């Protein structure tokens, strides 16, 4: 079981669902944990029929999604056993759940942001508070992938104890890709074919970083191409 963090104020739910869908199509068991303050996945994933609990795990397109939990112990108690997933993807936008899930200990953490000033500053606020240094993959989602803006992001991380890994992911934020994401939400399906080639290449790359050596990038490419 590998735990991987996705950090930042940017809305990461659709990116995580897309990554998780690729992994499930490659026969991996995946749990997404929405540990954000906004809990946006609560409005995508249906509530299970066990009363009005705000803490639950539900299935969406072959992906398990956990909502309302503050740590993995709570998830284990809910399941009645230790989680046995191949990958647990944890989404956070705050220092509390970053610490309660012990994310500084993870071997892989992704900082996801656009160049929106709120998302940049709110995301970096976590690392200004955090005393433990972290090494992060930089993931930028923007229609304007300019060096000036990236230099600004590099400056912000330099004001903390954390630093970037050498690998980075640059998602172009196109109208077509946003349209496909909305169509996926409305249809309650996750499909990749109508995304732009640039988006699919970036999804392939970030999924390969998540999967590591357990899945070849070629297999990831074929799944995204066919589905």
């Amino acid at each position: 079981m590998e735990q991987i963090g996705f950090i930042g104020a940017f809305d990461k739910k659709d990116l995580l669902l897309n990554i998780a869908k690729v992994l499930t199509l490659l026969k991996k068991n995946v749990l997404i944990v929405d540990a954000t303050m906004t809990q946006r996945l609560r409005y995508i994933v249906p509530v299970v029929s066990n009363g009005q609990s705000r803490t639950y795990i539900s299935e969406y397109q072959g992906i398990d999604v956990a909502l309302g939990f503050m740590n993995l112990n709570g998830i284990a108690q809910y399941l009645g056993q230790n989680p046995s997933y191949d990958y647990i993807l944890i989404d956070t936008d705050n220092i509390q759940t970053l610490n309660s899930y012990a994310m500084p200990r993870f071997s892989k953490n992704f900082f996801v942001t656009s160049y929106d000033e709120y998302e940049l500053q709110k995301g970096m606020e976590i690392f200004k508070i955090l005393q433990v240094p972290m090494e992060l993959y930089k993931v930028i989602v923007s229609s304007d992938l300019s060096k000036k803006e990236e230099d600004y992001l590099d400056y912000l991380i330099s004001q903390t104890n954390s630093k970037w890994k050498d690998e980075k992911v640059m998602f172009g934020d196109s109208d077509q890709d946003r349209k496909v994401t909305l169509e996926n939400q409305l249809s309650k399906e996750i499909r990749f074919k109508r995304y732009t080639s640039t988006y699919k290449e970036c999804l392939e790359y970030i999924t390969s970083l998540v999967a590591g050596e357990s899945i070849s990038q070629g297999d990831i490419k074929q799944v995204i191409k066919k589905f």
Side-chain angles (χ1 to χ4, degrees), residues 7 94-95 98-99 111 117-118 120-134 136 152-153 155-163:
I7 303 163
N94 63 86
I95 189 69
L98 183 142
N99 283 326
F111 178 74
E117 188 70 10
Y118 167 80
L120 286 171
Q121 296 292 345
K122 185 67 175 177
M124 284 296 162
E125 187 177 66
I126 296 171
F127 303 106
K128 290 178 180 178
I129 299 170
L130 185 68
Q131 298 300 310
V132 180
M134 294 180 68
L136 304 149
Y152 179 52
L153 179 55
Y155 166 74
L156 292 176
I157 199 71
S158 73
Q159 305 304 300
T160 74
N161 292 323
S162 298
K163 62 180 182 179

Side-chain angles (χ1 to χ4, degrees), residues 11 16 62 66-67 115 196:
D11 178 5
L16 287 177
L67 290 138
Y115 287 137
T196 63

Side-chain angles (χ1 to χ4, degrees), residues 22-224:
V22 176
L23 294 173
T24 60
L25 289 169
L26 289 164
K27 310 304 181 185
K28 300 297 183 181
N29 296 319
V30 183
L31 174 70
I32 296 175
V33 179
D34 189 339
T36 65
M37 298 294 288
T38 52
Q39 294 273 290
R40 295 179 191 227
L41 274 172
R42 192 177 295 278
Y43 304 97
I44 303 294
V45 178
V47 179
V48 293
S49 59
N50 63 344
Q52 299 298 316
S53 174
R54 299 288 290 172
T55 303
Y56 61 91
I57 297 175
S58 190
E59 183 272 340
Y60 183 80
Q61 290 290 298
I63 305 158
D64 282 358
V65 179
L67 290 138
F69 296 93
M70 286 301 296
N71 51 52
L72 283 178
N73 286 336
I75 292 172
Q77 290 174 10
Y78 180 94
L79 294 171
Q81 61 183 18
N82 288 328
S84 57
Y85 297 93
D86 296 305
Y87 298 97
I88 298 180
L89 313 181
I90 302 174
D91 183 4
T92 185
D93 57 4
N94 63 86
I95 189 69
Q96 290 80 11
T97 51
L98 183 142
N99 283 326
S100 65
Y101 281 95
M103 291 169 69
R105 299 179 186 175
F106 295 176
S107 61
K108 298 174 186 174
N109 283 294
F110 294 80
F111 178 74
V112 186
T113 188
S114 72
Y115 287 137
D116 178 86
E117 188 70 10
Y118 167 80
E119 290 170 0
L120 286 171
Q121 296 292 345
K122 185 67 175 177
M124 284 296 162
E125 187 177 66
I126 296 171
F127 303 106
K128 290 178 180 178
I129 299 170
L130 185 68
Q131 298 300 310
V132 180
M134 294 180 68
E135 194 172 5
L136 304 149
Y137 292 102
K138 175 169 52 176
V139 182
I140 300 172
V141 182
S142 176
S143 58
D144 179 19
L145 304 178
S146 70
K147 187 177 185 303
K148 178 181 177 182
E149 298 294 350
E150 190 178 357
D151 287 346
Y152 179 52
L153 179 55
D154 292 343
Y155 166 74
L156 292 176
I157 199 71
S158 73
Q159 305 304 300
T160 74
N161 292 323
S162 298
K163 62 180 182 179
W164 304 127
K165 289 180 179 286
D166 291 337
E167 301 89 343
K168 65 182 179 182
V169 185
M170 312 286 278
F171 276 92
D173 184 22
S174 74
D175 290 340
Q176 173 65 18
D177 294 325
R178 279 185 262 117
K179 180 181 177 182
V180 176
T181 295
L182 289 174
E183 288 173 353
N184 284 348
Q185 289 178 7
L186 291 171
S187 66
K188 303 297 183 185
E189 295 183 344
I190 301 174
R191 298 282 180 177
F192 308 125
K193 285 186 176 180
R194 296 192 63 241
Y195 280 113
T196 63
S197 59
T198 300
Y199 183 95
K200 287 186 280 190
E201 288 170 4
C202 292
L203 178 61
E204 173 194 329
Y205 183 53
I206 194 171
T207 305
S208 72
L209 292 175
V210 168
E213 296 180 356
S214 67
I215 304 173
S216 75
Q217 191 163 344
D219 288 342
I220 293 169
K221 183 183 186 72
Q222 287 303 310
V223 163
I224 294 171

